[in-house]
Amino acid sequence: MFSSSSDFYIFLAIIAIIYTTPFIYTLITIYGIFKKREQIIFIKIILSVNVLIIVNILYYFFSPNSLPYSSHTIFFITMGLITFLPASLSLLINLPKKVDIYTYIILFSLSLCVYNSYCFSEKLKQDHRAMVFSALEQGNIQKLQQVFNDECSNNSITFDYLNEMAEVETYPAKSFAFMLDCMAGSTETKHVPFQFIIFYKNALLRENTNTALLNLLYADYYHKLNESDKNNLVEEITSEINNRYSAKNTWFVERFNFLIKKHPELTNYIKIDEQDIINAIDYGNITFINYAFPYHSTKNENLLLATSVLSHADEKIMKKIEENKNFLNIELLSSDHHVWRNSKIDLLSYIFRYGSENLIIWLLARGMDDTATFDYQESYVNSTNDQKEYSCRNYLMDHIRDNPEISHENKWSIRTVLELRSNCPSR
């Protein structure tokens, strides 16, 4: 966040100014009044000015229909008092009586103009935005047509509104329909703005998307997509699934499958080959494999075996191992996959890298791990003498460390067993 320590200190100074300004302003003003106590007219002017300042700030602070992010913070009050601070500071300077009064009034007038020239325009924007969101929450289309006015022609503004609405369930379907129509144009429009395609995709991939919005995207607004849009949508969602490895986080796959169920033509855009399956197995991505198999049925027995490990079909694997212990030596993947440190990616290695804790403990209990055969020498340069040295490591321990299915505590208990069975010196 901060590029240097000086930036950090500047940040702290700004925070200190923001939160101490109300106190400083009040202190200076009280001291100024005390200092000018013999000038009754001046004191009345100071009091009147400060009443006007308070009323002015409260006008913005208690803005009707204000939004949560708007003015309801000490920061807003502080900005007001910082703007009016020069007039109060002038009270500390000893000037001739008339010059003193005129200086104070002139500085206050300038501050008043600067403050309101900025805040009033912001207030108009804020109130307009608040009215739009209020109408959206109520589903008041007539009001929306009035307050939204020409903004339908600005896709960026509509895009921002829709993104803020997308995760909030209080917005009804007709409000989303109004905004989507604003962005995408009428049903007869052939050209759909790029923002609509982005929003459509993001809404499908956003976890907490409004249910009413999803139903609209599944049905009415799917027909806004042309052939290229559908192809890009499928490619991006497939890529997203390919990059998510958690079997527990599959809501987006279920959502996409529902869209496919409603519009089977989307399957024409799904392009998955053997290499995609191999890459998913390489990275242990069972989510992608479960998604991909209906569209590409591999006949490679070794790849199917790897998917059994990922899907925790432990009893099936145990049965095959009990029939033939050498089954653990079956090579599942070639050696050019960079996820793996060892060149031999056999079933045993794959189980330790991606298998369930239950299956791994079952293997250890029966002494089927052959841990010592997985010892290897790793070279490194000693920073003290710049000499190349070697350390003894074990591939199975490496795989257990990276296994996403096992808790940190259980990994250590399994590693303890492996260390006792390895020929490497105790670490």
Side-chain angles (χ1 to χ4, degrees):
M1 180 179 178
F2 303 105
S3 57
S4 66
S5 58
S6 61
D7 291 338
F8 177 70
Y9 290 125
I10 291 171
F11 172 77
L12 288 180
I14 292 171
I15 293 296
I17 290 171
I18 287 172
Y19 284 94
T20 57
T21 298
F23 174 75
I24 293 171
Y25 179 87
T26 303
L27 195 64
I28 291 173
T29 304
I30 291 173
Y31 176 74
I33 291 173
F34 178 77
K35 188 177 180 182
K36 311 293 182 181
R37 62 186 181 278
E38 295 179 357
Q39 302 179 43
I40 304 300
I41 295 176
F42 200 179
I43 290 176
K44 289 180 179 179
I45 291 173
I46 294 171
L47 293 174
S48 299
V49 160
N50 279 278
V51 168
L52 185 56
I53 289 173
I54 292 170
V55 171
N56 198 180
I57 291 175
L58 289 178
Y59 171 71
Y60 296 110
F61 185 81
F62 292 110
S63 174
N65 297 318
S66 57
L67 299 175
Y69 66 81
S70 60
S71 310
H72 296 80
T73 61
I74 193 172
F75 182 83
F76 181 80
I77 299 174
T78 299
M79 290 304 101
L81 294 179
I82 285 175
T83 308
F84 291 109
L85 195 57
S88 289
L89 288 173
S90 72
L91 298 175
L92 306 180
I93 303 171
N94 293 319
L95 296 170
K97 188 174 181 180
K98 285 189 177 182
V99 175
D100 206 1
I101 295 174
Y102 289 139
T103 301
Y104 181 78
I105 293 173
I106 291 170
L107 287 174
F108 163 71
S109 301
L110 289 173
S111 295
L112 190 68
C113 291
V114 170
Y115 182 65
N116 285 284
S117 62
Y118 173 77
C119 288
F120 188 70
S121 61
E122 287 300 307
K123 182 179 184 296
L124 291 177
K125 294 177 187 177
Q126 169 188 301
D127 288 350
H128 174 76
R129 191 172 178 83
M131 284 188 288
V132 171
F133 275 109
S134 176
L136 286 168
E137 284 187 351
Q138 296 167 16
N140 189 337
I141 304 303
Q142 185 177 0
K143 182 77 174 290
L144 278 172
Q145 290 170 337
Q146 294 173 357
V147 299
F148 209 61
N149 201 11
D150 298 328
E151 290 182 2
C152 264
S153 60
N154 190 325
N155 281 310
S156 296
I157 292 175
T158 312
F159 184 72
D160 290 341
Y161 278 119
L162 278 168
N163 276 326
E164 288 195 44
M165 296 166 60
E167 294 186 83
V168 184
E169 284 293 332
T170 55
Y171 294 104
K174 55 185 175 180
S175 293
F176 281 110
F178 176 84
M179 297 300 285
L180 288 169
D181 284 341
C182 271
M183 178 182 287
S186 65
T187 309
E188 294 76 22
T189 303
K190 292 183 178 180
H191 174 70
V192 178
F194 184 58
Q195 287 96 331
F196 176 82
I197 309 303
I198 294 174
F199 179 78
Y200 193 104
K201 179 199 69 176
N202 289 346
L204 288 181
L205 294 174
R206 184 185 283 114
E207 184 170 5
N208 299 314
T209 302
N210 179 294
T211 306
L213 170 61
L214 280 176
N215 291 334
L216 286 172
L217 297 180
Y218 289 145
D220 301 351
Y221 290 88
Y222 170 81
H223 304 290
K224 293 282 186 180
L225 307 176
N226 60 32
E227 296 300 306
S228 176
D229 297 333
K230 293 170 187 175
N231 185 58
N232 291 335
L233 177 67
V234 171
E235 282 186 356
E236 291 206 37
I237 292 179
T238 300
S239 175
E240 187 72 19
I241 295 170
N242 203 11
N243 289 311
R244 300 200 194 196
Y245 305 125
S246 173
K248 301 172 185 176
N249 191 17
T250 58
W251 55 266
F252 53 94
V253 182
E254 293 167 3
R255 194 176 287 173
F256 187 42
N257 285 339
F258 184 77
L259 183 64
I260 292 172
K261 185 178 179 180
K262 290 188 72 68
H263 307 285
E265 62 168 303
L266 280 176
T267 57
N268 298 329
Y269 303 98
I270 299 175
K271 301 176 181 65
I272 296 172
D273 57 24
E274 193 85 347
Q275 190 58 50
D276 293 322
I277 301 295
I278 291 171
N279 289 339
I281 289 172
D282 185 9
Y283 285 95
N285 189 348
I286 188 62
T287 301
F288 182 79
I289 291 169
N290 288 338
Y291 157 75
F293 268 5
Y295 311 107
H296 179 81
S297 300
T298 181
K299 295 180 180 179
N300 187 311
E301 290 296 329
N302 291 347
L303 297 183
L304 291 171
L305 180 59
T307 62
S308 296
V309 174
L310 290 174
S311 59
H312 298 166
D314 295 343
E315 290 185 8
K316 174 184 175 182
I317 297 169
M318 289 174 185
K319 184 178 179 181
K320 287 183 177 292
I321 295 171
E322 284 177 335
E323 291 172 356
N324 181 7
K325 185 181 176 182
N326 291 328
F327 191 69
L328 288 167
N329 298 323
I330 292 175
E331 187 172 322
L332 299 182
L333 296 170
S334 61
S335 60
D336 59 348
H337 294 267
H338 58 274
V339 171
W340 303 82
R341 296 173 65 86
N342 54 326
S343 58
K344 184 184 177 184
I345 308 169
D346 52 26
L347 176 59
L348 183 61
S349 297
Y350 199 80
I351 290 172
F352 272 78
R353 178 64 177 81
Y354 291 121
S356 70
E357 182 180 341
N358 179 56
L359 181 56
I360 292 169
I361 291 175
W362 183 85
L363 289 170
L364 291 173
R366 286 156 181 76
M368 296 180 179
D369 49 279
D370 294 330
T371 303
T373 63
F374 287 89
D375 291 342
Y376 69 96
Q377 296 293 319
E378 182 177 65
S379 63
Y380 66 96
V381 177
N382 190 319
S383 58
T384 305
N385 53 26
D386 289 332
Q387 295 296 312
K388 193 173 186 178
E389 297 184 6
Y390 295 87
S391 66
C392 184
R393 296 180 63 87
N394 184 276
Y395 286 123
L396 295 186
M397 292 187 200
D398 293 340
H399 299 328
I400 281 294
R401 179 197 63 204
D402 298 326
N403 190 315
E405 300 297 319
I406 303 176
S407 66
H408 181 73
E409 295 76 15
N410 292 337
K411 283 181 182 181
W412 278 109
S413 63
I414 293 172
R415 280 178 61 88
T416 301
V417 176
L418 294 176
E419 285 178 353
L420 292 173
R421 299 182 183 186
S422 168
N423 290 329
C424 290
S426 298
R427 292 191 287 271

